[in-house]
Amino acid sequence: MNVPEVQVQFMKRTDGNVVLRCTRRDGSVTWQRYDKHALFFSLHDLRHFAVETTLGLHDGFYSLIAGGWDITDTTGKGARGKPPVAAGLVEHVVGLLDREQSGGAAPMTAAEFNAQLDAVLGIDPRRPRFTDAQLALVRNRIEELHNQWFGLAAGSTLDLAFNRD
């Protein structure tokens, strides 16, 4: 049996809160309960999952968790200090997709998406440039995950396996 690097569980509680629980391959666990803004953070964290797994970005939230970071450490306020600079790219990619899907902005073309990243992060020839096909794949995966989440009954758990490879 292939044990994932991180078993990700989104628990939809009957009180409307959400618990995100991440169990690493070594059995260690980090978790967080979302009381306020539970829906936004659940959808945001599912976008992270889609972005990191579909686009193969290995420096984001779930990769940090796989590397031993606790969820609270990923804010930059924990004992580990600030996350690696590369984690910022993932956060901005997710943020642009948040804006499209939560903020009502029209989906951007790859050229517009890359231009937005350049405007925020500066032009860096080493940074990946996303294609329209890649953005379509990640948007489709986000939609699948969100549909699974919305279809989940209160008191149930959405289980996902995260691997960087």
Side-chain angles (χ1 to χ4, degrees):
M1 182 166 146
N2 190 13
V3 177
E5 280 189 89
V6 181
Q7 183 67 39
V8 179
Q9 296 177 304
F10 288 86
M11 299 171 221
K12 189 183 275 189
R13 295 173 39 129
T14 56
D15 62 6
N17 295 331
V18 174
V19 174
L20 171 62
R21 177 185 167 100
C22 298
T23 305
R24 295 178 198 91
R25 188 176 281 153
D26 67 4
S28 61
V29 175
T30 183
W31 65 277
Q32 183 166 343
R33 185 177 68 216
Y34 298 124
D35 298 324
K36 293 184 179 181
H37 314 292
L39 179 60
F40 171 80
F41 285 111
S42 300
L43 298 178
H44 176 82
D45 290 345
L46 286 168
R47 282 187 196 102
H48 262 281
F49 187 88
V51 164
E52 292 181 48
T53 57
T54 305
L55 298 178
L57 299 176
H58 302 298
D59 296 307
F61 178 76
Y62 291 105
S63 292
L64 293 174
I65 299 300
W69 290 56
D70 285 330
I71 291 171
T72 54
D73 289 337
T74 65
T75 65
K77 298 175 185 170
R80 291 183 179 262
K82 291 184 180 183
V85 173
L89 168 64
V90 178
E91 198 59 48
H92 286 295
V93 168
V94 172
L96 289 174
L97 294 166
D98 279 344
R99 191 178 87 181
E100 287 179 10
Q101 296 173 338
S102 297
M108 290 181 270
T109 66
E112 294 166 331
F113 199 91
N114 290 316
Q116 284 291 318
L117 291 173
D118 288 343
V120 173
L121 299 171
I123 297 171
D124 183 349
R126 297 167 294 168
R127 188 173 58 240
R129 308 297 290 177
F130 301 106
T131 66
D132 287 314
Q134 287 174 309
L135 292 175
L137 284 173
V138 77
R139 287 176 180 125
N140 288 340
R141 182 65 174 134
I142 290 168
E143 184 176 357
E144 289 170 5
L145 290 170
H146 287 183
N147 286 339
Q148 287 177 349
W149 181 245
F150 288 126
L152 195 66
S156 299
T157 300
L158 176 60
D159 285 301
L160 302 168
F162 178 82
N163 290 296
R164 289 177 279 193
D165 54 4

